Amino acid sequence: MEKKVNQRKLRVCVATCNRADYSKLAPIMSGIKAEPESFELDVVVLGSHLIDDYGNTYRMIEQDDFDIQARLHTIVRGEDEAAMVESVGLALVKLPDVLNRLKPDILVVHGDRFDALALATSAALMNIRILHIEGGEVSGTIDDSIRHAISKLAHYHICCTRSAEQHLIAMCEDHDHILLAGCPSYDKLLDVRNKDYMSVIRAWLGDDVKPENYIVALQHPVTTDIKHSIKMFELTLDALISFNKKTLILFPNIDAGSKEMVRVMRKKGVEHHPNFRAVKHVPFEQFIQLVAHAGCMIGNSSCGVREAGAFGTPVINLGTRQTGRETGENVLHVRDADTQNKIIHALQLQFGKRYPCSKIYGDGNSVPRIVKFLKSIDLAEPLQKKFQFPPVKDSISQDIDHILETQSALAVDLGGTNLRIAIVSMKGDIVKKYVQPNPKTYEERIELILKMCIEAASEAVNLNCRILGVGISTGGRVNPHEGIVLHATKLIQEWSCVNLRAPLSDALHLPVWVDNDGNCAALAERKYGKGKGVEDFVTVITGTGIGGGIIHHHELIHGSSFCAAELGHIVVSLDGPECMCGSRGCLEAYASGMALQREAKKLHDENQLLVDGMSLKNEDGISAIHLIQSAKLGNSKANTILKTAGTALGIGIVNILHTINPSLVILSGVLASQYVSIVKDVIQQQALSSVQTVEVVTSDLSEPALLGAASMVLDYTTRRTY
């Protein structure tokens, strides 16, 4: 620090916003002014300095023989939260012109006020180095956030205590750019205590007031809880009136809530009360003498916990505004000042006492240290700040693509025949699949689901898959919000009023989603299939039964009683074959795998199923596959059955088109390819012209139920609403 690192004078701009920060900045300004061979000093005045209600305190800067290069009226009156924000905005509008004109090398900013935040923001964006005074301290209000924000913008730091220095280091600030100097105001206040204090006391409080027999009160609003701080101020005034001691009370600062506090003062008649002297401003040297010789100081000003300790003056700190500040033993904290009696009791305990003098915040020699520090600043150093982050362990995470691939879901497909479970990745890859026959009883089925899920979840670890949750696709009507199967057809026995979510979630400690298999097929198409990016489409499953799902405005439709998209039970004939639901003429009774199996058995019983090229082993059961095979080999009766089934499906889809008017119909399941051309023909023959242009396609997904079940989990992890 001893060497002169710059070949020219350092141009230092000191910006002061209010009476409080000027008391800390004035000694630094004097130190800079005293060395004209090393520094050029510019002074910018803004904020409450220029407001009459707050004493026009810019005059004391002129009285101290400092030239003011710029005066900026930046306060928007209103004294509420919005006014504070608007004041910051106004300062940000006005400051660039001043900083462009002055072109300082260093901008000196103090503390934690909203005006100071505007100063630091402007300088940082204009590539001007910032020296922040009193960073790293803790007080317990919004001021903390502002103070730390300024510290992050600042290039250099002057702190007052060892704890503040450690806080700045913990905030990753460069240790070489931090100076533990002490509070600059101590350089002046330790010299003024023994001056002619009696004349000061008489001037402000009257001739009959003796030292240590009066109170200094200074209380500001707490911007994070204005209503409570006003109530506390009201209780404080009531307590002071009752305590019946001469009191010098200063008006609050300009923070949100100050106007209401002034109203409380006037409502209580403080300005005209014989025991009170209410003032807007006291010059710092005189104020320090008044504090030094007071019987007690009360309120929530930082002066009470900082400067008053240098004289051993007893202090009552009210509320939370200075929570976290380092204090001497002279400070009695009344955190919850919610009654007048509590404050009176504190006054009785503190008034008239004397405490050992404390030098926590300084020893009276901070300014020489700060001036020396300023001389050491090398303007040739890069302007960009460097943060001193603590060492961290090497990350064991893999690259983002790999992470996305291994984020997975357990998908469960509960069909009429088989129980299938799969580990499905975010990209829709089935990493591993497990298949078991679906048990006939509820107890056996739940037991098997749990066993298979636990095994799959365990194996997922070895496969480098992180399971995010479980998705279940099941036949039947499902309440997806509760994870309950409300009712199922005869395809799945003992499967009504079944809570699937609770047992699986309890056993696996994972979130569980449940939905109908048709809805899951639609979700699979939305995420991985031909419905991706389509706003409105319908998926129709043609398998053992007939089901489906409706996507409207990109979201799945469940209906008021979770019965939407029960497409298999659209009635297409009043006197058609009986359906498993108990009705007649349903789509499922015509076009499902069970319906085709039924018709195949009839043909077989009449010896009309098998044609040349077909054979049937004794152990083989008759199925829909045999009917399709027979039709392909030229069996006209089998072909007629398939055409009737396809026509019934086509009529059902026409009804869907006329009801919800989707732009796309996706046929899914093992029978989709058999029906697609017939369905298209029926649409052209039966549908209104306005919907005949609808696109009808077959699904490319081999496992729509599993993929749809997985998508419920994976869509949630990517914050899609389901």
Side-chain angles (χ1 to χ4, degrees), residues 17-18 20-21 24 84 88 109-120 132-151 220 223 253 255 300-302 306 321-322 325:
C17 309
N18 54 62
D21 77 16
K24 317 294 176 65
M84 290 168 65
V88 171
V109 178
H110 171 270
D112 51 24
R113 308 296 302 145
F114 58 86
D115 325 68
L117 180 60
L119 284 161
H132 184 209
I133 311 294
E134 291 186 12
E137 296 187 16
V138 178
S139 60
T141 66
I142 190 65
D143 295 349
D144 276 347
S145 299
I146 296 175
R147 184 186 309 109
H148 301 329
I150 296 171
S151 290
H220 303 300
T223 56
N253 65 19
D255 280 352
N300 60 8
S301 168
S302 62
R306 296 171 66 97
R321 191 170 183 267
Q322 302 300 334
R325 292 270 195 198

Side-chain angles (χ1 to χ4, degrees), residues 526-650:
R526 183 184 71 178
K527 188 170 182 67
Y528 301 114
K530 291 183 176 176
K532 191 171 185 177
V534 180
E535 186 173 6
D536 299 285
F537 70 89
V538 173
T539 297
V540 181
I541 303 175
T542 56
T544 306
I546 299 289
I550 300 168
I551 300 294
H552 180 60
H553 294 327
H554 298 292
E555 300 300 336
L556 183 64
I557 302 299
H558 285 103
S560 61
S561 59
F562 314 109
C563 202
E566 285 290 350
L567 307 181
H569 302 289
I570 293 175
V571 176
V572 294
S573 173
L574 295 178
D575 56 354
E578 186 178 357
C579 179
M580 290 189 72
C581 70
S583 184
R584 284 188 171 274
C586 296
L587 269 183
E588 194 166 283
Y590 279 102
S592 68
M594 290 185 303
L596 296 184
Q597 182 184 42
R598 180 192 68 226
E599 297 302 317
K601 284 180 178 179
K602 286 182 182 179
L603 286 180
H604 185 259
D605 291 343
E606 297 168 359
N607 293 319
Q608 296 183 25
L609 177 64
L610 299 180
V611 295
D612 290 342
M614 285 184 69
S615 62
L616 187 65
K617 296 178 182 178
N618 291 333
E619 64 270 17
D620 289 344
I622 302 299
S623 68
I625 294 173
H626 297 112
L627 184 72
I628 294 168
Q629 186 182 5
S630 182
K632 286 182 177 179
L633 292 172
N635 186 331
S636 60
K637 289 186 178 295
N639 193 59
T640 299
I641 292 169
L642 284 176
K643 188 168 184 181
T644 300
T647 301
L649 181 63

Side-chain angles (χ1 to χ4, degrees), residues 667-678:
L667 299 183
S668 180
V670 293
L671 300 174
S673 60
Q674 303 298 320
Y675 292 146
V676 62
S677 61
I678 303 172

Side-chain angles (χ1 to χ4, degrees), residues 106-176:
I106 303 284
L107 177 71
V108 179
V109 178
H110 171 270
D112 51 24
R113 308 296 302 145
F114 58 86
D115 325 68
L117 180 60
L119 284 161
T121 302
S122 300
L125 293 174
M126 296 180 71
N127 293 320
I128 298 168
R129 288 172 169 83
I130 302 165
L131 176 68
H132 184 209
I133 311 294
E134 291 186 12
E137 296 187 16
V138 178
S139 60
T141 66
I142 190 65
D143 295 349
D144 276 347
S145 299
I146 296 175
R147 184 186 309 109
H148 301 329
I150 296 171
S151 290
K152 300 316 293 180
L153 293 169
H155 302 78
Y156 306 96
H157 310 274
I158 304 298
C159 52
C160 301
T161 69
R162 181 69 63 186
S163 293
E165 180 187 39
Q166 293 304 310
H167 291 159
L168 287 171
I169 293 170
M171 290 164 62
C172 305
E173 294 300 314
D174 188 344
H175 199 170
D176 292 337

